[in-house]
Amino acid sequence: MVVQTKQELVLGCRLLDKAGLFDEHGHLSARRDDPDRVWINAFASPGTTTMRDYIEVDLTSTDYPESAPGETPIHTQAFRNRPDVEAVCHHHAPYMTLLSSLGIPQRPVHPNGVVQADAFSVFEDYHDEGGMLVTTEAEAQDLADALGDDDVVLLRGHGAVVVGESVSEVVAKCLKAEYNAELLYKQATVGEPWYLPEHLVERNVDNMLSESQIVKTLDYYFTKL
């Protein structure tokens, strides 16, 4: 189980890096079989991450391993707040980040870009300690509050946090959300963005996050590795 989870995480990191959502920074984490313990990639570029780079973090403590990334609290607070969450990703996808800076609402503009029905919330109340990095438990709690029960929360000018019930689901959500953001940006450069009607969004949420669709999505992106 440990090896399988770490393999999924490493493959997820490679895939998101190849797709351009990670740069030299970014984290993909998952719960262990013990819900109070999670795996997170240590202080290393996600595109070069191996199973050995994944370290264990105890959710019952804030005394993290020395090699844990500075923004570990983003993940730990999301896991603590949401018992339904099994995996978390923090990335710097360029189109999602760009649109968050411009204040353009990120809602689905294409069926393949559906992740959730509502527009993504935007977090921008950064604390002084980390600049625009979320490094303290208090700031991470504010971010978790902004996420609420949603799948995605944007960090204005910084990136996004995506959560889900499995590593595969989170990776697929990240890819779909960035695909939608790219289309939305291109719409906005030539005119007024057109968003999917609400009834079509609702119809597509379950479909795009079904196991068969997630497998199809990941199979496609794995061909790019």
Side-chain angles (χ1 to χ4, degrees), residues 5-15 28 46 49-54 167:
T5 302
K6 284 189 173 184
Q7 286 176 331
E8 290 178 343
L9 289 164
V10 169
L11 283 171
C13 281
R14 298 291 175 85
L15 196 157
L28 180 62
T49 293
T50 68
M51 287 197 292
R52 293 182 180 181
D53 294 313
Y54 264 89
V167 174

Side-chain angles (χ1 to χ4, degrees), residues 95-106 156-157 185 188-189:
Y95 285 101
M96 294 178 73
T97 303
L98 173 61
L99 293 177
S100 74
S101 300
L102 295 173
I104 297 176
Q106 295 190 42
R156 190 181 295 277
Y185 167 76
T189 61

Side-chain angles (χ1 to χ4, degrees), residues 37-77:
R37 295 181 181 276
V38 301
W39 294 115
I40 189 169
N41 47 316
F43 190 74
S45 296
T48 64
T49 293
T50 68
M51 287 197 292
R52 293 182 180 181
D53 294 313
Y54 264 89
I55 59 173
E56 186 178 287
V57 171
D58 185 353
L59 296 180
T60 66
S61 170
T62 56
D63 184 17
Y64 305 129
E66 186 176 344
S67 59
E71 291 188 303
T72 295
I74 290 176
H75 297 255
T76 54
Q77 288 298 87

Side-chain angles (χ1 to χ4, degrees), residues 107-177:
R107 304 200 318 269
V109 296
H110 191 280
N112 287 345
V114 173
V115 172
Q116 67 179 38
D118 297 328
F120 302 148
S121 297
V122 180
F123 174 83
E124 57 185 339
D125 297 325
Y126 297 103
H127 296 196
D128 292 337
E129 292 90 340
M132 288 182 68
L133 300 179
V134 180
T135 59
T136 68
E137 301 300 323
E139 187 172 19
Q141 181 58 59
D142 289 345
L143 178 58
D145 289 341
L147 173 66
D149 294 327
D150 287 348
D151 298 298
V152 181
V153 61
L154 304 170
L155 289 78
R156 190 181 295 277
H158 177 168
V161 175
V162 182
V163 302
E165 297 180 0
S166 68
V167 174
S168 297
E169 180 184 297
V170 165
V171 172
K173 285 176 177 176
C174 290
L175 294 165
K176 290 178 185 297

Side-chain angles (χ1 to χ4, degrees), residues 32 36 112 146 164:
R32 291 202 52 178
D36 286 330
N112 287 345

